[in-house]
Structures are given as structure tokens and as C-alpha cells.
Amino acid sequence: MSGDVSRPGLRKGGIIEKTKEFWRVYSRIRVGKIGLVLLLIYVVMAVFAPWIAPYNPRAILVGKHFEPPSWKHPLGTDEMGRDILSEVIYGARTSLLVGILAALLTMVIGTAIGIASGYIGGITDDLLMRLTDLFLVIPGLPFIIVLSVILGASIWNIILVIALIAWPGTARLVRSETLSLKERMFVHASRVAGASDFYIMVHHILPNVLPIVSATMVLNVTRAIILEAGLSFLGLGDPTAISWGTMLYFADKEGAMLSPNPYYIIAPGVALMGIGLAFVFISYALDEVVNPKLRQRR
Amino acid sequence: MPRKEVLRIEKLKTHYYTLGGIVKAVDGVDLRVYKGELVALVGESGCGKSTLAFSIMGMVPPPGRIVSGKIYLSDINLVELSDEELRKIRWSKVSMVFQGAMNSLNPVMKVGDQIIEAMLYHDVISRPEEGRSTVKHLFELVGLDPNRIDSYPHELSGGMKQRVVIAMAMALNPDLIIADEPTTALDVTTQAKIMEVLKDVQKKTGVSILLITHDLPLVAEVSDRVYIMYAGKIVETGDVFTIFKSPRHPYTQGLIGAVPSIRGPKKKLVALPGEPPDLRFPPPGCRFHPRCSKAMDICGKKEPPRIEFGPDDFVSCWLFAKEGERK
Amino acid sequence: MSGNILVKAVHLKKYYPVRTSFLESILRGERIFVKAVDDVSFEIKRKEIFVIAGETGSGKTTTGKLLVGLEEPTSGEIYYNGEKISGIPIKKWKKHGLRKKIQMIFQDPYESLNPRQYVFDILAEPLIVNKVVSSREELYDRIMRKLEEVKLIPPEEFAFRYPHELSGGQRQRVVVARGMILEPEFVVADEPVSMLDASIRANVLDLLEEFRSKYGVTFLYITHDLATARYVGDRIAIMYLGKFVETGPVDEVIQNPQHPYTKALVSAIPVPDPEYARKKKRFELYGEIPTPINPPKGCRLHPRCPLAMDICSREEPPMVKVGPDHYASCWLLAKR
């Protein structure tokens, strides 16, 4: 049969080989490479901020108020005379932290609820799914605003709040995947072997839903980064953290657009756009790698 | 009187260019089908038999392509045709019934309309109404109630759907039907009926059938001639009686010895040792030699010659070569 | 003591409710069922390979699932070694010590192995969840020994591969090894070779025979293929629409079928002998096997049977003895 052309027997399934194979396919997708390079820039910015940034981003009056770009301050200064380039560089830390942690938390909550709901079924399923529906129909932004006001503005609360409104999508995805997985023969085989439900959920269902969940993870990161910026822009962010959203908030409040230094608004905006694009490109490329049907069509 | 050739394949090579290497799925195959014949192409999964079918239909999936060789379908070499020309010939000269074909029927379209659509596409008719009487004839041909023309697939049983698929394959009155595992996954009683329908259609219309299967007992029951394929090559061919009564190639002997029967004395079955080779890295010499109990020195070094015993009757094996040639 | 009988099923039934809309169920006034297994009784002797053969929808697979606890019977009893085991939910099997005794070999070597586990982990699972090994070394030894027994040699070569890195035949050997790793006494083998190429089927079938002679394992072999049934089986039951229509020694039933359904089934099977095939007369039934929802009254075969009589549509035929240990359920054979 033609389906058997890739006859087994020779390939050894080591992690290294798999990564190589993955990279071989991934590296042929141009936007994927662009996305990766972009992301790498942000990661370097976040990790090495203290060495890269020319000034301490919190230090006020390193320049004058709203100083336009110059060799000393490539992106100018803000209303307090802080260096904008340094602020943007440090902002990558907040964005990546919030994005990745919120997406991880989303994944954990969504996967746990999705697997439990799909595998256990019955009343558990009904209850969990109604809860999911509830969270799905709650208008997201007002809910976040209310919640962050109640919980108070801190980075950790923002992460929690974002995860709280993002998990239902993941839960639904995982549940439907679990429903089909639990009818697969190897799950029946495991039951006959004497495995408990918990054992099956952890050893058979979870590893098989993870690839799909991780594929959505990338988009969840983007979403969390944008949400954080949105919240901060509305003044609900953590005022002690340097983030692009907070920068936009103050820039807007202080009328930066009409000031001598419009880069106060443009710089964090472009930074946000760039990181969003990076993740979207990566997610597009991952989709092609993970989904062989898409790959064939090219 | 020489019989009329419907299909003649010469030295066909179809390879897949995968990331892991070149898969030589069909590697120098010669095959002939005469008018009104039922020829069986037998081999295990992965031997390249389905790729051969796709090659004839001009539908080799990427990354595969026909590398060299000729496929003559009543004197037209299909390999040289453009995609557009192939599209016209496909179905009107050669059609296909494939495994699980009954599940390929469109569930929201009446079965009759699905056949009419194929006829419209090939310009046999210009308006749908013209096709209805033809479809009714086709249904009679395959033993279906002509009133079933307006049924939806879900209203038909598995066996009836398979008949619709055969009717569809016959819609443009082709010279050749390629039946790729047409009864795999069907129950034996349904399988027997479907094979009967195919034989019956053949008797009435004189269409040639190339049956591609791994099921040896089925081949013994229905076919006239047999080709045995192993690892991309034809290792033996002959008429069905010769193949089953006095198989020559050790692979053919092995296949027959491994198949249980409900008749005759209960014998100990001897499965072939090992596994078919990876077609990216086939063994040198005779591709079967690592699994062959009669392998000699030369088998691992040189490809065996084709020893002809008559027209369409040959074996590729060193055991049948003259002493002097085995060096 | 139960003597020579290891497994006994008495009036076993398994009905599945058909999902209908709320409105429909009110209008009909009754629930509809798929009668997958409908009053089946049989005994399996120790060290026997008992075959249940039938076509799609016959209920053979459901019968197998009932015996390993994957399904619970609607009514009827299953006895194992003289003790009633039907009614024990599958989660309690471990506690009752049944899990180590009764195992299953699954059909599909592609579907029944978790694609993300190494062969080693697949085989380790039954040993770990049943807590039958006390050390890492013991676990390793047992897995290697079992791989050797199913002829995946050298075992170290195969243990740390993923299923997709094995051929179909090798995968099915892993499936067999998993079924046998707890060293069970009774194993349900559900179509263990139907997905394999004919040339390697015999290898896997021979494994069953080896486990029987080496460890005295009793097998229920479920298949649609009478040729392999004849090759491995001792006794056979032919199943049609949830009922046994004929039982007896495998060779006797296949060479000398008494029930019209068995006759049709046997005569439809291709024989690898072209001369005989061209001479043989087929015994044909009308139509195709219907769904087991509302099966026909009386004898279930009567609408398809060319030999049907009046009584066949009215009354269910009794099981009649037609030879030594050979029974068939047909009015043609009953003395009235």
C-alpha cells in the first residue's frame, strides 16, 4: 500500500533525531523563521535588559522632559525625563513573563478540566461544561476590569485574571479530543490491564492531548500579552512594573502625541506589534509542521 | 489468434522522493492485461502494488512520480500524456474501484446523480436527464433495483453501495477496471457476492479487470492469470492453475504455504521469516534473498534473470537459471 | 469444584439502548435496543482454544468484552473457575484478583498501542498497575523475557522503540506480549491477526498455541475468518445476530456444516485451490445481515434462508444435537 512507503524499522526515535526532523520541516517555512528571529530578539532583550539598556528605566531626569530622539536617547525621553529605549527594553520582561505564565496557567486549568470532563463524563461532565459555558459567555473585558479592581493591581493578579477568562477555549478543545481518545483501543487495553481512571488520564490521555494544547499555547501567549497591555493601558496594570501597556497609559495621559516626542507612544506600540507578529508567525509555522495535511498542500 | 492487449506496462519505475530517501515502490515492472481477462496482482502490504495502480490511473501522490517506463492503454502511452489528456482517459478508458470505495460516496447526494455527474464531467451526456436511463441500465447490470437510482447512500446496505461503486466504474464503458482491494473489510458473504457481481459484469461487457489484492484464496477463486509482486518487482507470473499447483518462485511457494485453508488436511503453516525490506534500501541482488530458504551465493550479488516458460509465464529466480549463468 | 470447565456463560445478554430523541421515545412508548448478545450460553474447557466466529454485527466482539469486564451483561451470568464474576465492575477486578487471570489480546495493532509510549512502557503498565513487580530489575527482566517469548529478538532492540517504528507484524507481537505479560490463565483474543498480511498471520497464531502448551493458557479466539479458526481452534461457535446457531469441534463444523447460515458462510470462503473453486457450488442466502435492532422473530435467519418453513418465522428453533458434541439451532434438524 502506498501509505506504507515510509516503512518503519530504521528510524530510532531519540529526542535529538526528533528535534532534527522537526527543525528540518520547520526551517523550510519562511514566516516561521522570521517569527523565531523576532522572538529571539525579544528574549535577548528581556534576559539581558540590564546590560543592553543604556539607562536605568526608572531613573528620572536622565534627560529633559519629552526630549526628542538624539544620540544620547535614541527614542527620546518621557514626561519624567526617563529614557524610553530603556523602558521599552525592560518592558519585554513584563510582557514575556505575563504572556508565558498566563498561557501556562490557562493550559493547566483548561487541560485539567477538559480531561476530567471528557473522560469521567456523566454529571461531572455536565457540571464542568456548564461552568465552561458560563465563563465563555461572561463578557471578557468588563469581567477582567472588575476582577482586577477587586484583586488589586499586581502582575500576579493580572496573570491569574487572564488565565481565568482564557481557559474555557482550551477546556473545550481538550474535552472533545479526550472524548475521541477514550474510545481508542489503547485506552480499553489499559483498562483491561487494570489501570485506574486516574492512571489512564495521566498516562494515556494527557500525553496525547498535549501536542494540540501546546500548539494553541503560542496563540494564548499572544493573547495574554495583548490583554496585559490593554489592562495596563486602561490604568489597571501594575504601576510598579515597567510594561508597554503602562507606558502607553502614561503616554496617553500626558499627551505624548502632541509633545515633542511622539516616540513615547510609537515605541511601545511597535514593540507590542512585533511580539504579536512573532508569535502569530510561529503559530502559523507550527500548524504546518504539526498538521501533515497542510504540509502536503504546499 | 492473438488476444487483444488492453493494458501493457513496460519497465515501469515509480519512485517516491521522500526526505528519508528514494522509495522505489515500483521498480521495473512488466505487466499485461488482455481483453476480457481478470488478472490478479498479488503482494503483501508495502510491496508497491497500490502504487502501480496509481501509476496506471496517473494519480501517483506526491512526492512520488513515474521515473521511466511505458504504460500502454490500447496503444496510447499514458506516461507521455498531459494532465488534461489523462483526465479525459481516466474513467472513460480505465476506471477504479478502491478499498472502502463505498464510503467515498457523497452522503448528501442521490447515488444516481453521483454517477450522472461523472458522465457529465466526461461529456458523455450534456444534460442530467439524458443519463438516467443509462444509470438504470448500469444498476441492472450490477444487480441493483433500478428504482434505487434516487436513493441516498445511507439508505443502502454495504453490499448495495459497493454495487453502486461498480456501476460508477462502468458508467463510461471503460476497457479496464482496476479493483484495488475491493472487498477488504467486507464480510465474506458480502465479498463473495461482490466478486460475483464483478465477474458477471465482466461476462456481460467483456471489460478487463486488474484485481489488486493480498488475499490469495480470493485470487485462486476468481482470477485467470496472476502476477506476484515483491518489493517493487514482479517475481513470477503465470495462469492461476500453474501458480497455485506448481509455484516456482520461493516467495510464491512461501505465500501459498502460509495461508490456511478450510479444505484439505490441516497442515502446519509456515510463515515467511522476517519482514519485507525497506524500499528505500532494498537488499542487493534478489530482493527476496534475505528471507529465502533456498538462497545461494549469487542471490545476494546479482539480480536474477527473467526465465521465460512461455508468453506471460515467467519467473525471476536464480534457481531456474542455467548452471553457467549462475556465476 | 468446577472440574474441567474454566469459563461458563449462562443465558448471557447484552442490550444497548438506542439513543432516540425525547419525543420519539414518548411516541413509541418503549425504548429500543440493539440486541448485541441475545441469550448465549457456552462453556470453555481448560487449555482449550474456543472460537466464536461470525460476521459484522454478530455480537462476537461484545461477547468477548463481556468476558474481560469491558462490558457488563444486561442479564445472565458468567462463571470463572466456578465462581460468579458477572456483576463485578471492572474497577473491582483487581481487588478480586481477576485482572491477573483474565486478559485480552486486541485486534488492531495500530489503534491498540499508545503511539506516545515506548514498547517497554506499554508492557510495563500491566505489571506496574497490578503491583506484581517489586523492583526495577524484575520489571526489566519480565518485559525482556516476554518480548523474547513473542519472538521479538533481541528484546533490547525492540523495547525502546515507539509502535510506529515497528512493522505491523512486530506491533501485533507487542499486543500479544501485553496480553500475556501478567501470565493470565484465560485470554480473549479478538481478531488478533485480521489486520496482518496473510504471510505473517501464521506466526502470530502459532504464538497462541505456544502459550497454551507452555503455560496452559485457555483462549477465546474471536474471528470472522474460518480458515484461521480451523488452524488454531478446538471447538467453534458460529454466531449470527446475537445468537449461537451452531457449535461443535472446529473441523466437524466447517467440513460438515448443518445450519443454513454456517453452510452459506463456509461456501462463501475462498479456497486457495483454483480447480476446486471453479467446481464448488455456493449455498447462498438472500440479502445481507440486518442490524441487530429488532431482529426478526422466530429464527433470526428466516427472512434470508432459502430453506425457511412456516414455523421458522414463528418460533425460535431449539439447539439440536447433530453429532458428537455438535449442535445446531435449526427447525430443519429438529424432530417434531
Side-chain angles (χ1 to χ4, degrees):
Chain A
M1 258 176 254
S2 65
D4 271 350
V5 287
S6 55
R7 278 211 72 83
L10 283 154
R11 220 148 37 87
K12 282 262 183 182
I15 293 282
I16 301 163
E17 273 80 12
K18 276 193 172 166
T19 319
K20 271 188 191 159
E21 168 72 23
F22 175 86
W23 178 245
R24 197 160 45 186
V25 183
Y26 187 96
S27 60
R28 289 191 304 177
I29 304 163
R30 191 186 297 154
V31 290
K33 274 190 291 188
I34 297 175
L36 221 50
V37 170
L38 261 176
L39 181 64
L40 200 68
I41 295 173
Y42 282 99
V43 171
V44 168
M45 261 164 58
V47 173
F48 300 104
W51 292 276
I52 301 172
Y55 300 93
N56 179 347
R58 294 173 206 274
I60 53 170
L61 287 173
V62 294
K64 300 186 199 86
H65 306 279
F66 290 130
E67 200 177 304
S70 64
W71 281 113
K72 241 181 115 193
H73 304 286
L75 293 172
T77 59
D78 66 6
E79 82 282 0
M80 308 262 270
R82 287 175 296 211
D83 182 56
I84 289 181
L85 178 63
S86 305
E87 286 188 79
V88 167
I89 290 173
Y90 272 87
R93 289 189 154 188
T94 314
S95 278
L96 282 178
L97 182 78
V98 171
I100 289 169
L101 285 186
L104 270 178
L105 193 60
T106 305
M107 193 168 119
V108 170
I109 302 175
T111 307
I113 290 187
I115 289 182
S117 181
Y119 188 82
I120 300 168
I123 295 177
T124 315
D125 184 29
D126 282 340
L127 286 177
L128 288 176
M129 274 304 110
R130 293 302 80 79
L131 185 73
T132 312
D133 292 341
L134 191 72
F135 273 89
L136 267 180
V137 296
I138 286 178
L141 205 57
F143 177 71
I144 296 184
I145 294 171
V146 170
L147 215 60
S148 44
V149 167
I150 297 173
L151 294 174
S154 90
I155 276 267
W156 308 109
N157 286 343
I158 287 177
I159 290 171
L160 183 73
V161 167
I162 290 173
L164 268 183
I165 69 142
W167 67 267
T170 308
R172 292 230 141 191
L173 180 80
V174 170
R175 175 180 175 266
S176 67
E177 192 60 27
T178 305
L179 284 178
S180 90
L181 280 170
K182 82 168 176 182
E183 293 307 322
R184 292 275 293 273
M185 274 304 176
F186 61 80
V187 172
H188 289 306
S190 186
R191 289 173 68 203
V192 171
S196 65
D197 287 345
F198 184 74
Y199 184 96
I200 292 173
M201 283 190 261
V202 173
H203 287 85
H204 293 293
I205 309 282
L206 182 64
N208 279 290
V209 297
L210 271 187
I212 305 158
V213 177
S214 349
T216 64
M217 165 101 181
V218 181
L219 282 180
N220 275 333
V221 173
T222 326
R223 200 170 141 195
I225 289 174
I226 305 286
L227 265 175
E228 186 273 335
L231 279 178
S232 305
F233 179 71
L234 292 174
L236 300 165
D238 187 341
T240 63
I242 298 159
S243 101
W244 300 325
T246 315
M247 283 176 77
L248 286 170
Y249 169 71
F250 284 111
D252 182 56
K253 209 170 114 190
E254 306 294 335
M257 216 49 206
L258 301 169
S259 79
N261 185 16
Y263 290 97
Y264 192 7
I265 275 197
I266 296 171
V270 170
L272 267 171
M273 241 173 64
I275 203 164
L277 268 183
F279 281 114
V280 169
F281 283 172
I282 290 170
S283 131
Y284 175 86
L286 279 184
D287 218 20
E288 291 219 355
V289 178
V290 175
N291 192 341
K293 274 185 199 139
L294 278 175
R295 218 190 309 168
Q296 271 170 14
R297 246 193 279 148
R298 281 161 58 92
Chain B
M1 195 188 82
R3 290 181 293 173
K4 187 173 174 276
E5 268 176 19
V6 171
L7 175 72
R8 187 171 85 245
I9 297 178
E10 289 177 5
K11 300 194 176 60
L12 183 73
K13 291 190 178 187
T14 305
H15 297 171
Y16 293 92
Y17 294 83
T18 68
L19 289 174
I22 301 170
V23 181
K24 298 170 186 117
V26 175
D27 207 23
V29 163
D30 293 279
L31 182 145
R32 254 186 282 222
V33 180
Y34 297 101
K35 188 166 169 47
E37 244 191 338
L38 200 159
V39 174
L41 176 64
V42 187
E44 295 172 272
S45 50
C47 74
K49 58 190 194 298
S50 286
T51 301
L52 185 64
F54 288 135
S55 305
I56 302 169
M57 295 298 288
M59 304 193 309
V60 181
R65 61 183 169 86
I66 296 174
V67 180
S68 62
K70 299 185 176 87
I71 304 172
Y72 286 103
L73 196 68
S74 11
D75 299 332
I76 308 167
N77 184 358
L78 300 183
V79 177
E80 289 166 357
L81 295 187
S82 69
D83 281 357
E84 189 50 41
E85 288 165 315
L86 254 180
R87 234 193 306 274
K88 283 207 185 96
I89 286 200
R90 194 186 298 155
W91 225 257
S92 62
K93 292 245 184 250
V94 49
S95 63
M96 194 164 173
V97 176
F98 39 92
Q99 186 181 353
M102 58 181 194
N103 297 323
S104 69
L105 293 172
N106 183 344
V108 293
M109 200 172 166
K110 292 172 182 169
V111 288
D113 291 348
Q114 303 194 32
I115 300 178
I116 289 172
E117 199 182 42
M119 293 162 75
L120 280 170
Y121 183 75
H122 283 274
D123 301 323
V124 193
I125 50 171
S126 50
R127 284 183 305 123
E129 300 78 58
E130 294 168 31
R132 288 186 69 87
S133 64
T134 317
V135 174
K136 285 188 175 168
H137 282 302
L138 286 170
F139 273 30
E140 270 166 25
L141 182 68
V142 298
L144 268 176
D145 180 357
N147 296 322
R148 286 292 191 174
I149 181 168
D150 289 321
S151 298
Y152 288 96
H154 70 91
E155 295 168 327
L156 305 178
S157 68
M160 285 155 102
K161 277 189 265 188
Q162 200 69 2
R163 283 169 204 248
V164 170
V165 169
I166 295 172
M168 197 180 273
M170 286 302 296
L172 303 176
N173 205 8
D175 300 329
L176 175 69
I177 296 181
I178 298 173
D180 187 3
E181 306 270 8
T183 56
T184 309
L186 292 181
D187 282 321
V188 272
T189 50
T190 318
Q191 163 177 298
K193 278 198 180 138
I194 293 303
M195 290 318 298
E196 222 162 69
V197 170
L198 267 177
K199 289 289 271 189
D200 194 44
V201 166
Q202 176 163 54
K203 209 187 279 168
K204 286 181 193 156
T205 64
V207 66
S208 308
I209 298 174
L210 178 61
L211 172 70
I212 296 178
T213 184
H214 67 274
D215 188 346
L216 273 178
L218 182 70
V219 168
E221 290 226 344
V222 301
S223 65
D224 302 315
R225 285 195 302 119
V226 183
Y227 284 87
I228 308 281
M229 191 164 179
Y230 183 78
K233 290 185 182 292
I234 303 291
V235 296
E236 178 169 10
T237 184
D239 74 76
V240 67
F241 299 100
T242 316
I243 293 283
F244 281 89
K245 290 286 171 201
S246 45
R248 300 184 184 107
H249 199 284
Y251 178 60
T252 317
Q253 292 170 359
L255 275 183
I256 292 170
V259 173
S261 170
I262 56 162
R263 272 193 82 246
K266 226 178 192 172
K267 52 173 185 178
K268 173 98 182 123
L269 298 179
V270 187
L272 285 166
E275 305 269 344
D278 185 323
L279 289 180
R280 290 174 300 179
F281 313 106
C286 171
R287 292 185 174 184
F288 185 62
H289 86 266
R291 301 174 74 189
C292 183
S293 58
K294 294 171 185 157
M296 305 172 287
D297 271 356
I298 190 162
C299 299
K301 292 178 194 141
K302 256 172 98 179
E303 212 172 294
R306 176 179 297 175
I307 318 290
E308 310 244 2
F309 295 89
D312 303 308
D313 186 5
F314 65 77
V315 61
S316 288
C317 179
W318 280 112
L319 289 172
F320 295 86
K322 290 197 194 81
E323 280 299 327
E325 290 172 5
R326 289 190 201 165
K327 297 221 168 99
Chain C
M1 277 304 287
S2 50
N4 203 22
I5 306 296
L6 185 66
V7 179
K8 186 174 170 183
V10 185
H11 298 300
L12 208 53
K13 290 185 186 175
K14 179 66 189 177
Y15 294 177
Y16 295 98
V18 178
R19 270 192 188 224
T20 46
S21 67
F22 180 64
L23 195 66
E24 218 180 323
S25 60
I26 290 178
L27 291 176
R28 257 182 227 268
E30 58 173 342
R31 300 183 72 186
I32 353 173
F33 292 97
V34 173
K35 299 179 175 174
V37 178
D38 199 9
D39 199 351
V40 160
S41 301
F42 57 90
E43 289 173 346
I44 303 176
K45 299 189 189 102
R46 269 174 218 284
K47 298 193 187 184
E48 181 178 44
I49 298 184
F50 183 72
V51 184
I52 296 182
E55 296 184 283
T56 316
S58 62
K60 57 186 193 301
T61 296
T62 309
T63 309
K65 284 182 174 174
L66 288 168
L67 292 185
V68 297
L70 272 175
E71 298 281 0
E72 287 174 36
T74 310
S75 71
E77 294 97 48
I78 301 167
Y79 296 90
Y80 184 77
N81 227 343
E83 276 170 54
K84 188 175 160 202
I85 60 164
S86 48
I88 302 176
I90 188 164
K91 287 174 190 167
K92 300 248 171 75
W93 276 47
K94 217 176 346 184
K95 210 175 81 195
H96 284 79
L98 288 169
R99 207 57 292 170
K100 279 180 256 176
K101 292 180 185 159
I102 302 176
Q103 273 298 319
M104 181 155 183
I105 294 171
F106 283 82
Q107 169 183 19
D108 190 329
Y110 299 84
E111 262 285 294
S112 70
L113 300 175
N114 186 342
R116 297 184 188 278
Q117 284 188 324
Y118 283 128
V119 168
F120 186 90
D121 296 323
I122 290 168
L123 297 184
E125 179 178 292
L127 296 171
I128 291 168
V129 298
N130 287 289
K131 303 190 178 71
V132 290
V133 284
S134 48
S135 69
R136 191 85 197 153
E137 289 72 38
E138 199 187 341
L139 180 73
Y140 186 86
D141 287 347
R142 275 187 82 160
I143 288 169
M144 293 305 152
R145 188 152 27 96
K146 218 34 98 179
L147 282 173
E148 253 170 40
E149 281 180 0
V150 297
K151 315 279 181 322
L152 289 173
I153 300 170
E156 305 81 25
E157 268 281 308
F158 293 95
F160 298 99
R161 290 208 206 166
Y162 286 105
H164 67 88
E165 292 166 325
L166 305 175
S167 71
Q170 291 166 344
R171 255 182 271 200
Q172 193 56 38
R173 285 163 191 273
V174 175
V175 173
V176 172
R178 174 177 56 194
M180 306 308 300
I181 197 143
L182 290 168
E183 276 154 20
E185 303 166 345
F186 174 58
V187 174
V188 173
D190 185 7
E191 303 261 23
V193 295
S194 67
M195 307 286 287
L196 303 181
D197 269 316
S199 67
I200 50 175
R201 278 183 192 167
N203 276 332
V204 175
L205 292 175
D206 287 343
L207 288 178
L208 302 191
E209 187 57 54
E210 273 169 42
F211 280 110
R212 160 160 72 173
S213 52
K214 197 165 166 192
Y215 298 105
V217 182
T218 307
F219 284 97
L220 171 62
Y221 179 71
I222 296 172
T223 186
H224 68 279
D225 179 6
L226 290 188
T228 58
R230 179 177 181 233
Y231 184 62
V232 293
D234 301 317
R235 283 190 309 136
I236 191 168
I238 308 289
M239 210 168 171
Y240 180 76
L241 282 184
K243 282 191 182 301
F244 283 1
V245 294
E246 186 161 354
T247 64
V250 172
D251 252 328
E252 174 68 13
V253 169
I254 291 174
Q255 305 303 334
N256 186 20
Q258 294 298 311
H259 195 282
Y261 177 67
T262 319
K263 283 183 187 168
L265 197 60
V266 169
S267 78
I269 296 168
V271 178
D273 174 350
E275 270 163 33
Y276 174 80
R278 276 154 184 75
K279 281 185 300 191
K280 92 172 177 190
K281 285 286 285 172
R282 274 191 52 209
F283 180 85
E284 283 189 71
L285 300 171
Y286 309 124
E288 284 172 56
I289 192 166
T291 67
I293 307 174
N294 290 327
K297 291 220 159 46
C299 169
R300 302 204 158 175
L301 190 67
H302 84 262
R304 300 182 62 197
C305 181
L307 308 172
M309 304 174 292
D310 273 355
I311 191 168
C312 302
S313 60
R314 282 183 275 117
E315 275 177 67
E316 225 171 89
M319 266 286 180
V320 189
K321 184 164 184 164
V322 290
D325 202 24
H326 186 178
Y327 300 84
S329 161
C330 177
W331 280 116
L332 287 167
L333 307 165
K335 289 195 203 90
R336 271 159 298 146

